[in-house]
Amino acid sequence: MDILDGILDDNLTIEEIEKETGWPPDYISTKGVLPYIKRMGPDLMGLEIGTGRGESAYHLLEFCPNIRKIITVDPYKAYQEWNGPISQEVQNKSKELAIANLAKFGDRAEMHENIHGTDFDFVYIDGDHSLPCVLQDLEACYDILKPGGLISVHDCNLGSVGDAIRQFRKARRIGMPLNNSSNGLAFWYKHKD
């Protein structure tokens, strides 16, 4: 038996994943924040940093009918990630998959290379996991998050991501509780002014 038997192919659409192993998979990173977003009220605007294959945005849109729209942001450029290089070829394939996956939701999902919009009800960060990039993402997103909005960061179990969260919260003097959820997700609510 090959050690890779049973490992999900990364180049599948969500429709193909559903046929092969079922949807959503246990590893889906938005699983831990889903119940909180569902309770936030109607007509939500969300921002996702790090679209990848579009799986997180798909998961949120599928299970949270209260989300009016998610703006997803990903430059789809090659870079060095914590677990190795992400090539331009991989990024191009990820973008193709994201377009295919999110097409189901029409204008409820918008893909961009840079942040578009303001006054978001929630932000989900799962982009480049280096400390400087996570800090940059937090800085870019926090001021366009509505007071009382939810900010979540995936892979907080990685040293660089956890350090970025701590540094950002300390620099901004954020006293709101930091919650840890399933699948390496941390989140908190922005203080209402």
Side-chain angles (χ1 to χ4, degrees):
M1 181 174 176
D2 189 311
I3 194 163
L4 296 179
D5 283 350
I7 300 295
L8 189 62
D9 179 357
D10 271 353
N11 293 314
L12 299 177
T13 64
I14 289 171
E15 185 176 285
E16 292 166 329
I17 292 170
E18 190 165 26
K19 287 177 186 171
E20 189 170 303
T21 61
W23 176 261
D26 287 338
Y27 67 79
I28 193 81
S29 57
T30 46
K31 180 169 63 173
V33 76
L34 193 71
Y36 299 94
I37 292 174
K38 279 183 168 183
R39 292 192 295 252
M40 289 181 70
D43 204 33
L44 300 179
M45 265 304 269
L47 174 65
E48 177 187 27
I49 304 296
T51 310
R53 297 179 301 258
E55 293 172 357
S56 298
Y58 186 106
H59 185 239
L60 290 171
L61 289 167
E62 182 177 46
F63 290 100
C64 295
N66 57 330
I67 297 173
R68 176 173 34 101
K69 181 177 284 197
I70 291 181
I71 305 292
T72 71
V73 178
D74 201 317
Y76 289 106
K77 303 242 185 268
Y79 71 103
Q80 179 66 39
E81 184 58 298
W82 66 272
N83 58 350
I86 308 293
S87 70
Q88 191 59 54
E89 180 183 349
V90 167
Q91 290 288 49
N92 293 343
K93 182 62 179 174
S94 292
K95 185 175 182 178
E96 287 175 28
L97 288 168
I99 290 167
N101 287 332
L102 297 176
K104 168 183 177 174
F105 299 102
D107 63 358
R108 287 183 67 208
E110 264 182 42
M111 291 174 57
H112 295 279
E113 291 186 7
N114 299 296
I115 295 174
H116 283 72
T118 59
D119 295 328
F120 291 100
D121 297 292
F122 68 91
V123 172
Y124 175 76
I125 299 173
D126 190 14
D128 184 327
H129 295 83
S130 68
L131 185 129
C133 287
V134 177
L135 281 170
Q136 180 181 332
D137 290 343
L138 285 164
E139 287 292 342
C141 295
Y142 206 68
D143 291 332
I144 58 176
L145 179 66
K146 290 179 181 177
L150 182 142
I151 187 160
S152 57
V153 185
H154 186 236
D155 294 317
C156 63
N157 51 317
L158 296 175
S160 57
V161 177
D163 289 348
I165 292 169
R166 283 186 288 282
Q167 289 178 26
F168 176 79
R169 287 173 53 90
K170 183 177 181 179
R172 290 285 189 119
R173 302 175 62 113
I174 296 170
M176 297 297 284
L178 179 64
N179 303 283
N180 290 298
S181 187
S182 63
N183 295 351
L185 189 74
F187 68 94
W188 69 92
Y189 294 93
K190 185 175 181 180
H191 190 268
K192 293 181 181 180
D193 296 332

